[in-house]
Amino acid sequence: MGVGSEAKHHSGGVTDDGVGEILAWCVVANVTDRIPHGEGGREFRRGLRHFAAGARLWVLPAQWGDGWENAIVVGRHRGSRRYVRMVVPLRHLTRFRVRAVYSPTVFRELTRPWAPRGDHPIGLWDSREHAERAAAAALRRTASDPGDAPTPPPPPED
């Protein structure tokens, strides 16, 4: 039984040593600074429509069979600053790592049934190790994505 299923009964309170309880382990990533957009990807946008560049997103494991090209994420919306959950392409994320979930609000968003799939329960990471393996694989995959590569500087003006 993974930490996610055990953690559903935790209140998210503070333990005797003053540290919050770990509700789950999750892959965390940031929205890339420059996202290719438009015809041929020649234009760039800062961040995504709903998430600002650099925003920290809590990334769930693959929920369908697309090879984790797209993922359900939870993060603060760039307009309202409220936590929201939506699907984003993994290629728009960077700096994958694993963090403990302490916030009951984040945990609720991560585990809320997903209405587009008929209130399908959302799967969390089975363990910290499982999340670490996925984060390492995502780092390798996005490092080879040309959309994440820095753009060369413009030619000098004469």
Side-chain angles (χ1 to χ4, degrees), residues 4-27:
S5 55
E6 295 169 4
K8 290 182 183 177
H9 304 291
H10 293 284
S11 64
V14 177
T15 60
D16 292 337
D17 61 2
V19 177
E21 288 185 64
I22 296 174
L23 302 175
W25 290 99
C26 196
V27 172

Side-chain angles (χ1 to χ4, degrees), residues 15 20-21 71 73 76 88 94 97-98 100 109-110 113 124 131 136 150 152 156:
T15 60
E21 288 185 64
V73 300
R76 290 192 184 268
V88 300
T94 188
R97 61 220 183 261
V98 175
E109 279 299 311
L110 288 170
L124 294 174

